[in-house]
Amino acid sequence: MSDRALLGEEINKETESLYKKEKKLGEGTYAVVYLGQHVKTGRTVAIKKIKLGNMRSGLDMSAVREVKALRELQHPNVIELIDVFSHKTNLNLIVIKDKSLVALAHCHRSWILHRDLKPNNFLIASDGQLKLADFGLARDFGDISRNMTSQTVTRWYRAPELLFGAKNYTGAIDIWAMGCIFAELLLRAPYLPGDSDMGQLTTIFSALGTPTEAEWPGMTKLPDYCRPLNALFSAATQDVLDLMGQMLAFDPAKRITAEGALRHAYFTNSPRPTRPAKLPKPARTIAEDSEPRKRPLDDAFDNAEAPIAKRPVDLRISSPA
Amino acid sequence: MSDKRELFEQSSQFRHWRYTPSSLSALRAANNQQGIARVRQSLLAESSLDGNSARTAEAENNMLTPADELGLINYYLQKIRDYATVYKFNSTVKATAITFMKRFYLHNVVFDYPPKGIMLACLYLATKVENSFVKIDDFTKPLARTKVTNSDVLDYEFVVTQSLQFDLAVHHPYRPAYGFFLDMQTYVEDITVLQKTYELAQKYIDQAVFTDLVFYYQPAQIALGAIKLAAVETRCDVDQYLTSQFDARALESLYPILDNVQEEIRKYQPVSMKEAQVIDRKLILCRNPEKNPSSSLYKSKNPEVPYVSDSDSD
């Protein structure tokens, strides 16, 4: 007890002294990511420095949300926040480098909505494990008396209830995004790339058909062209189409949950998923680049990680015999 | 049930902010001692700077005890509630702000940071954490009469978040109390009595968040204690519900906890303005000049104020 600092400011200084920054990996609009080291153990870390100096209202909401969510979530498939410290007016998050649905089920079980699921926010660690990251839009949910914004989630992954302006929603919005990512993995191209908020709805309806009143009670029936799933995904098995269909159900109440999706036959029927360590990895890593490149934050999070979007990995490639 | 318990055990509240009554008072006493030592040191440094040594003697006669510190903190916790009511913030924002301030003073002392300033920083941070964000100008507007500026609030934001060790999520008894209320409807015959019990229990929870119960017990335990306490008054039978939910062994460990919760809520006494004023007068004389922007020591060490918030245009 006596050798441990008691004061908040001293604890912060102690934390800061544990790490040293080595080189810049990338820069985004509100943060810079550095490659760093835990001084004593030599463990490689990523340091995400959030610039707050010119925020008029102090600590900004996305920093508050990210720190709040990550301090609570401890799971092998959620990016690990080891430490946080502030220096002058910067906030520094020390992170390490799922199975996506496992990570999402864990978030929902902890009553946290991610609200920005897209391929760029899934990182692959050096051991092949998938890590869910970027909790800047995350918030807790479940309080029906409080409204939430419908202006969330990157457009291509935004659920129809959000596009219709719903202020009360659930984990179903994260599942919709996961359904889009699932389809993107098979197509190797974004599944529902709308060009505007209204165009997004049109894109969804032309791909999945216009929802009927029976499918989604409360929605008025509109006549429109309907293309069934299996015409586009000609090589997909029935399990794939069934799970994707359930993840992309129009009525959020009927959409499968993360826990439910994990129990789907797709994950148990043959072919079995490849073990993380056997998954193909990009040949060149960011750390090997001599020049730090200016890229979006999510793309430059760790020396040994690459975003799925850049190199789509089909999670079901069977392992080499 | 076991699943839910595991979840709470993962929370930062469970992992970092649990104390026993004795560990809590030992921590506060140690903080107080170190705080006094720092005040002595800074006063010495200041008197060598400006030759005024009378302050040291004055401070020695007015050093705050751990009980004094707690009294002043508790008074300003009540102020948080009053302010939050003016702003119409909900009970979660209030309770989070109160818990933030209680946690802040486990890693700080009143000598360094008088609660009057910390109170607003805690409340403002709580609005962000609980999804009730207001712009800083709107937050300080109602305080214009008291000459509170934006930087009076924001300057403390970093020391507050550092002292909270960036654990921003706080769980309160309100939600579990609502869950118990819904659950109990199957077991309690008279719903109007149950409704009354629930409403009264919420008032008891409002009191409980001021106490150290938040460091001793889980939110659901505090909620159940508050319901039990309310049920005595409304003559509502909740024991049938408890025996249907827990086996004899679980009840054996639960009942003493619920008794303690009820006892602490019953014992809760707000601090009067008069009491607070007495402590406040002592604090003026024993405040640590190193952290006091109007002292000559502070000015010699911090030639200019670093915060830029007020001058920039967003």
Side-chain angles (χ1 to χ4, degrees):
Chain A
M1 189 93 184
S2 57
D3 57 334
R4 262 202 61 210
L6 289 176
L7 294 182
E9 286 154 300
E10 286 171 10
I11 296 170
N12 186 64
K13 265 185 222 149
E14 273 184 9
T15 308
E16 184 174 354
S17 70
L18 293 178
Y19 302 94
K20 67 168 193 255
K21 280 179 193 143
E22 276 166 353
K23 70 174 181 183
K24 197 158 143 184
L25 287 178
E27 185 162 4
T29 40
Y30 93 125
V32 187
V33 177
Y34 296 90
L35 188 67
Q37 214 184 57
H38 185 269
V39 178
K40 263 192 199 150
T41 62
R43 188 181 181 189
T44 304
V45 295
I47 302 176
K48 181 173 177 178
K49 185 173 98 179
I50 304 176
K51 300 173 263 185
L52 299 166
N54 50 7
M55 298 287 182
R56 184 164 174 80
S57 291
L59 266 177
D60 83 312
M61 280 302 284
S62 66
V64 165
R65 285 180 161 153
E66 178 152 25
V67 173
K68 181 185 173 189
L70 287 180
R71 286 296 266 187
E72 302 305 308
L73 293 170
Q74 294 174 317
H75 191 276
N77 298 121
V78 175
I79 192 155
E80 184 191 354
L81 180 66
I82 311 170
D83 262 322
V84 187
F85 64 85
S86 49
H87 179 84
K88 290 181 185 157
T89 55
N90 295 323
L91 198 61
N92 294 266
L93 314 188
I94 311 291
V95 290
I96 276 288
K97 306 278 162 47
D98 102 14
K99 300 148 193 174
S100 51
L101 277 169
V102 179
L104 190 61
H106 182 70
C107 293
H108 288 173
R109 210 162 66 93
S110 305
W111 293 98
I112 290 171
L113 289 180
H114 186 282
R115 303 203 301 180
D116 197 15
L117 292 176
K118 54 181 171 181
N120 292 19
N121 286 340
F122 286 97
L123 311 172
I124 299 175
S126 50
D127 60 356
Q129 286 280 11
L130 202 66
K131 302 268 182 195
L132 178 53
D134 201 341
F135 281 72
L137 288 175
R139 63 163 291 166
D140 38 359
F141 71 107
D143 191 345
I144 48 159
S145 62
R146 303 286 307 281
N147 280 345
M148 301 185 280
T149 178
S150 51
Q151 292 301 317
T152 191
V153 188
T154 304
R155 189 193 302 130
W156 296 350
Y157 307 93
R158 204 180 292 163
E161 63 267 31
L162 293 175
L163 294 162
F164 281 138
K167 300 285 182 212
N168 253 301
Y169 44 84
T170 63
I173 64 147
D174 283 339
I175 293 294
W176 179 276
M178 290 297 299
C180 296
I181 295 168
F182 192 24
E184 187 166 333
L185 282 171
L186 299 177
L187 291 174
R188 289 168 166 75
Y191 178 39
L192 301 168
D195 52 3
S196 64
D197 282 5
M198 272 326 288
Q200 186 62 34
L201 273 172
T202 317
T203 311
I204 292 171
F205 292 165
S206 63
L208 297 167
T210 306
T212 62
E213 188 69 23
E215 248 184 303
W216 187 3
M219 252 252 0
T220 2
K221 202 172 169 180
L222 292 164
D224 207 350
Y225 174 64
C226 160
R227 196 192 327 188
L229 275 175
N230 32 358
L232 188 55
F233 299 97
S234 48
T237 67
Q238 204 47 49
D239 282 341
V240 171
L241 295 178
D242 185 71
L243 177 56
M244 198 188 303
Q246 288 195 56
M247 290 169 89
L248 299 176
F250 280 111
D251 184 353
K254 287 184 191 147
R255 206 169 298 151
I256 196 166
T257 63
E259 298 262 7
L262 285 171
R263 285 193 298 269
H264 194 276
Y266 169 72
F267 290 105
T268 45
N269 285 350
S270 173
R272 305 275 301 168
T274 310
R275 268 178 286 138
K278 295 215 167 152
L279 287 171
K281 274 186 229 97
R284 202 173 62 141
T285 62
I286 297 163
E288 287 159 11
D289 290 347
S290 49
E291 282 295 296
R293 281 174 295 175
K294 209 164 184 175
R295 305 203 298 182
L297 256 189
D298 333 277
D299 292 14
F301 223 75
D302 194 329
N303 60 326
E305 295 167 353
I308 292 177
K310 288 276 157 62
R311 182 177 285 264
V313 174
D314 186 337
L315 290 174
R316 310 201 62 202
I317 296 168
S318 42
S319 42
Chain B
M1 202 72 200
S2 69
D3 219 35
K4 272 185 199 156
R5 201 183 59 227
E6 279 168 31
L7 258 189
F8 185 69
E9 285 173 3
Q10 286 175 25
S11 70
S12 58
Q13 183 163 337
F14 185 89
R15 287 181 288 125
H16 303 152
W17 300 99
R18 267 182 320 144
Y19 295 86
T20 62
S22 58
S23 70
L24 201 58
S25 57
L27 178 63
R28 283 174 176 150
N31 277 336
N32 178 266
Q33 260 179 5
Q34 290 191 9
I36 290 176
R38 278 199 308 280
V39 171
R40 284 188 182 130
Q41 226 169 23
S42 314
L43 282 172
L44 214 62
E46 193 173 45
S47 66
S48 71
L49 209 70
D50 62 8
N52 182 351
S53 57
R55 276 190 306 256
T56 309
E58 269 180 340
E60 283 301 336
N61 293 329
N62 289 283
M63 287 298 186
L64 302 187
T65 63
D68 286 338
E69 285 198 81
L70 208 53
L72 203 59
I73 295 163
N74 286 342
Y75 177 74
Y76 283 103
L77 291 180
Q78 293 156 213
K79 285 280 169 201
I80 288 187
R81 180 198 50 203
D82 298 346
Y83 274 120
T85 309
V86 171
Y87 287 109
K88 299 196 172 70
F89 291 137
N90 64 27
S91 49
T92 311
V93 175
K94 272 185 234 182
T96 296
I98 288 167
T99 307
F100 279 173
M101 185 145 131
K102 289 179 75 75
R103 290 180 181 181
F104 176 85
Y105 284 107
L106 299 184
H107 291 294
N108 289 283
V109 289
V110 169
F111 302 98
D112 292 338
Y113 293 107
K116 204 174 176 176
I118 296 303
M119 160 187 82
L120 290 173
C122 288
L123 181 57
Y124 191 55
L125 183 64
T127 66
K128 295 179 184 176
V129 169
E130 299 301 350
N131 304 303
S132 302
F133 175 72
V134 287
K135 286 196 184 111
I136 188 65
D137 297 320
D138 296 332
F139 185 78
T140 50
K141 205 179 280 165
L143 307 171
R145 219 161 34 90
T146 54
K147 298 206 172 85
V148 170
T149 64
N150 291 356
S151 63
D152 285 338
V153 180
L154 298 178
D155 283 355
Y156 291 119
E157 203 168 39
F158 273 99
V159 73
V160 167
T161 46
Q162 285 171 2
S163 302
L164 298 174
Q165 286 163 56
F166 303 95
D167 290 337
L168 301 180
V170 187
H171 300 279
H172 302 298
Y174 296 104
R175 197 176 286 200
Y178 183 59
F180 284 126
F181 167 62
L182 295 179
D183 246 19
M184 285 175 177
Q185 294 181 10
T186 333
Y187 296 88
V188 177
E189 297 240 321
D190 192 337
I191 297 294
T192 26
V193 174
L194 185 62
Q195 176 79 35
K196 257 190 213 154
T197 310
Y198 172 58
E199 281 161 18
L200 189 57
Q202 283 175 293
K203 295 212 172 87
Y204 283 134
I205 291 171
D206 289 341
Q207 291 182 22
V209 296
F210 287 111
T211 70
D212 288 336
L213 284 170
V214 296
F215 295 124
Y216 307 153
Y217 301 117
Q218 300 186 11
Q221 295 169 329
I222 299 173
L224 209 47
I227 290 173
K228 283 268 283 178
L229 189 59
V232 176
E233 267 175 70
T234 57
R235 300 193 185 170
C236 181
D237 179 20
V238 295
D239 284 330
Q240 203 198 332
Y241 168 75
L242 290 178
T243 46
S244 73
Q245 299 293 305
F246 305 99
D247 61 26
R249 250 187 75 211
L251 282 177
E252 205 179 306
S253 55
L254 182 61
Y255 275 130
I257 294 174
L258 299 186
D259 288 345
N260 275 349
V261 171
Q262 293 177 70
E263 175 69 19
E264 288 290 322
I265 295 175
R266 251 194 244 109
K267 269 193 346 210
Y268 168 75
Q269 281 287 338
V271 180
S272 71
M273 195 203 260
K274 231 176 166 177
E275 292 168 276
Q277 279 170 343
V278 173
I279 307 169
D280 220 13
R281 258 180 244 128
K282 286 169 81 175
L283 178 60
I284 293 169
L285 301 170
C286 67
R287 192 170 165 190
N288 184 359
E290 198 190 342
K291 304 277 186 194
N292 184 354
S294 58
S295 79
S296 43
L297 181 67
Y298 184 94
K299 282 173 191 157
S300 78
K301 283 193 173 178
N302 305 275
E304 57 190 271
V305 183
Y307 215 88
V308 290
S309 142
D310 268 337
S311 51
D312 67 345
S313 57
D314 207 22

